[in-house]
Amino acid sequence: GENVEQHPSTLSVQEGDSAVIKCTYSDSASNYFPWYKQELGKRPQLIIDIRSNVGEKKDQRIAVTLNKTAKHFSLHITETQPEDSAVYFCAAGLGTASKLTFGTGTRLQVTL
Amino acid sequence: NAGVTQTPKFQVLKTGQSMTLQCAQDMNHEYMSWYRQDPGMGLRLIHYSVGAGITDQGEVPNGYNVSRSTTEDFPLRLLSAAPSQTSVYFCASSFRAGSLYQETQYFGPGTRLLVL
C-alpha cells in the first residue's frame, strides 16, 4: 500500500518568515495530494490540494509543489502569522479523497 | 447545512464492551470514511464507502465494522473494545464535482474514545 513520509516533525519560524514542509510518497499511481491544517482539539481542515496533472498550485500565502518523478510534494507558507501555528498533515490518494494515506504531521510554531 | 456530525463527543468503555460511533452528513456526499488519530501517527483509514451499500477496508480495519444503508449515515461499530482502540475517531465525507474529479473531503468534529 501507499506510504507517506513527512518532514520535519516540528518547525519553528519567526513571524513573517517562510515555512516549508516536505512529503514523499511511495505509490507512483497516487494522483491526489491534499494538505490539512489541524488546530489543537479541532478537526483537520483542507487548506490546499494538488492533482498529478499540475506541478504547482497557489492560494494567497500558501503554495504546494509536486514532483511526480521524485514522488515528493511540498507545502510552502509565506509571510507566516501566529494564526498559522498548528499541525499540518500531508496525504496521498488514488483517484479519490475518500481513501487517503496521511503523513505523521508537522507541528508549526510561529513566534513573534 | 450541519455538515458532518458525529456522536458522541466523548465515550469511556470497558474492555470487551461494544458500541457504535455515529456519523451523519447532510450534504448528499457519495463518499464517506472513518479515520483514527493517534499521537505521532497521523490519521489512519479504518473503513470507507463510495456509496450506499458499498464499503471497503482501509489500513486498520480489524476490530471495526461498518455499514452504509443510506447516503447520509455511516456508523462505525466496535465489536469488542480493547485498550488499543483508545483514540480520536474522525468521520469524513467528500464529493466529486465536474469531469476533473474535483473532490474535497470534510471532517466531522471527532469522537474521543477511551477504553479501560
Side-chain angles (χ1 to χ4, degrees):
Chain A
E2 174 69 277
N3 181 52
V4 177
E5 295 190 354
Q6 183 172 347
H7 300 280
S9 57
T10 59
L11 180 59
S12 182
V13 300
Q14 285 194 323
E15 183 179 9
D17 288 350
S18 295
V20 180
I21 303 170
K22 298 182 178 181
C23 290
T24 61
Y25 61 98
S26 61
D27 189 347
S28 57
S30 290
N31 59 4
Y32 176 62
F33 308 94
W35 287 88
Y36 287 85
K37 176 183 180 182
Q38 187 177 32
E39 296 175 347
L40 188 62
K42 301 290 183 63
R43 73 190 79 185
Q45 292 197 309
L46 179 72
I47 56 171
I48 196 168
D49 59 8
I50 192 168
R51 297 185 184 274
S52 59
N53 57 339
V54 297
E56 183 174 0
K57 185 177 178 180
K58 190 173 183 180
D59 183 3
Q60 299 183 334
R61 296 186 296 109
I62 295 173
V64 57
T65 59
L66 171 65
N67 184 327
K68 286 181 59 180
T69 302
K71 291 190 283 187
H72 67 71
F73 55 113
S74 301
L75 177 70
H76 305 254
I77 306 174
T78 59
E79 302 173 16
T80 53
Q81 301 167 1
E83 51 265 39
D84 294 330
S85 296
V87 179
Y88 291 80
F89 291 96
C90 64
L94 174 59
T96 173
S98 62
K99 187 181 177 184
L100 295 176
T101 300
F102 281 80
T104 51
T106 295
R107 183 173 301 278
L108 174 64
Q109 182 173 4
V110 180
T111 59
L112 297 173
Chain B
N1 287 348
V4 183
T5 58
Q6 291 183 240
T7 56
K9 291 183 180 180
F10 180 69
Q11 183 71 48
V12 179
L13 290 178
K14 294 182 179 178
T15 297
Q17 287 184 316
S18 62
M19 78 160 295
T20 299
L21 280 64
Q22 301 292 343
C23 174
Q25 53 89 10
D26 61 357
M27 299 174 283
N28 201 32
H29 286 179
E30 291 178 84
Y31 310 104
M32 297 186 75
S33 308
W34 275 104
Y35 294 88
R36 60 176 288 174
Q37 184 174 32
D38 303 296
M41 299 186 73
L43 292 94
R44 292 182 292 169
L45 182 65
I46 305 172
H47 287 284
Y48 67 103
S49 170
V50 298
I54 306 170
T55 64
D56 205 349
Q57 296 181 350
E59 181 184 354
V60 288
N62 291 342
Y64 307 95
N65 272 356
V66 292
S67 60
R68 183 102 181 267
S69 56
T70 67
T71 300
E72 295 77 21
D73 300 299
F74 191 42
L76 179 71
R77 297 183 187 84
L78 278 70
L79 309 174
S80 177
S84 60
Q85 293 179 304
T86 293
S87 188
V88 179
Y89 291 84
F90 287 101
C91 178
S93 73
S94 58
F95 72 99
R96 289 183 177 181
S99 60
L100 295 178
Y101 300 111
Q102 298 299 316
E103 188 172 336
T104 302
Q105 185 164 225
Y106 298 90
F107 281 84
T111 293
R112 189 173 297 273
L113 177 67
L114 175 62
V115 182
L116 302 175

